[in-house]
Amino acid sequence: MKDVLKKYAELLVFAGGNVQKGQPVVIGGNVNDAEFIRMVQSAAYDAGASEVAVDWQDDEITRTTYLRAADEIFETYPDWRVDRFKFYDDRGTVYLHISSSDPDMLSGVNPERIKTLTKVSRQKLKPHSTLTMSNALRWSVLAVPSAKWAKKVFPNLPQDDAVQKLWQAILKAARADGENPITDWKKHRENFTERKNFLNSKQFAKLHFANGLGTDLFVGMPKNHVWIGGGDVGQDGVDFFPNIPTEEVFSAPDRNNVNGKVVASMPLSFQGNLIEDFSIVFKDGRAVEYHAKNNEEILKNIIEMDDGSHYLGEVALVENSSPISQMGILFYNTLFDENASSHLAVGKAYPNCVKGGNDMSEEELKAAGINDSIMHVDFMFGTADMQVVGISEDGTETLLMQNGEFVF
């Protein structure tokens, strides 16, 4: 297993962030994953990193802080944290993150505390997020199992067995269980090319999504929009994979041209809370109505975080037959679940989803229909009976997906 994990760590460094000689690296991860983080650090130095710093997190410390700290703690975000990001941003750092949190970590925590700290921290760190979302800085995230996460996914198994089974599922989903994962991912990138080229050549004016759950949604697309998938390219010209795994092709909707209802097909795990059985209604791009069976207050806090979080920033197409979907596992982790299902994201759009977007000002991006927000939260709505139709400017319709599968 140690050799497999070493290859997994190397996948994050050499393919995920694609660390170049002389670049600093910052690893974000949980203290319980120290052994794997050390493997990532070693791989980053093997790649020629000038420095590899670690930003340690601890779920129990985080939960206790939310439950017991004074109210004013959640109303400020210390300048030294902002300065730390700026210090590394200015040096062209590659950011690597290892996800392993308990999906129920913040269950029972006052939602207002979560909303307040999320809002203030993301406002203060907006310059950093702008750099990562515009590909001025490369970044990548993958996952390792924690005991509580494993028990959430496999509640009927003993803890050790659940962790082992989740490890197997993660490595399979991440295409990291073969002899040479880095080579496998290079081939994986190539598989997206034909599909992206087709969608980019068509330049559909809007997409119509419909299924038996109740989704009936028209998603307008900006002029000169760009479909991306199978990895990305930094502004320095270096390829990287922001998400391991990835099975999606995605772009940015026209923020003011989304109409209809979308019904989530999977629960959304957000900051340690699970939002279940929810739907959102959009009118002229804005979310005007939303409901959830469980944790509707958390959904409300996401959508009402700022003005831009009322609008969509991403539309992504994923076949129902994707490897992750076929595993039949609800991971309770968006990194995996979004790659089992077509999905949308409320909040900020990636600027490179419109031609020339990385060189546009915020005002120019907004004029082009590209949304801005301190949030970017993906949620899944694809199903086995999903139909997607591309509609051209002249009204011509092209069937893109039938029964959750691409037909082009």
Side-chain angles (χ1 to χ4, degrees), residues 308-375:
S309 56
H310 290 76
Y311 298 83
L312 291 180
E314 180 183 331
V315 54
L317 304 178
V318 180
E319 287 190 291
N320 187 65
S321 61
S322 79
I324 297 176
S325 176
Q326 291 305 299
M327 291 170 69
I329 297 171
L330 179 60
F331 283 87
Y332 299 98
N333 183 305
T334 302
L335 177 63
F336 291 87
D337 292 334
E338 72 172 3
N339 286 293
S341 166
S342 292
H343 54 273
L344 302 167
V346 295
K348 188 175 179 66
Y350 291 94
N352 59 339
C353 284
V354 66
K355 188 175 180 180
N358 283 336
D359 298 320
M360 293 181 182
S361 66
E362 289 186 10
E363 292 75 18
E364 289 171 329
L365 286 167
K366 188 172 183 179
I370 303 301
N371 193 39
D372 188 32
S373 172
I374 60 174
M375 302 295 285

Side-chain angles (χ1 to χ4, degrees), residues 117-131:
L117 184 57
T118 298
K119 187 169 186 176
V120 68
S121 62
R122 296 197 181 195
Q123 285 174 336
K124 294 288 285 287
L125 293 177
K126 188 174 182 180
H128 168 72
S129 66
T130 297
L131 291 172

Side-chain angles (χ1 to χ4, degrees), residues 234-256:
Q235 291 189 24
D236 58 3
V238 177
D239 294 340
F240 72 108
F241 290 98
N243 292 336
I244 299 175
T246 185
E247 302 290 340
E248 65 180 310
V249 289
F250 70 94
S251 190
D254 180 343
R255 75 184 298 274
N256 298 312

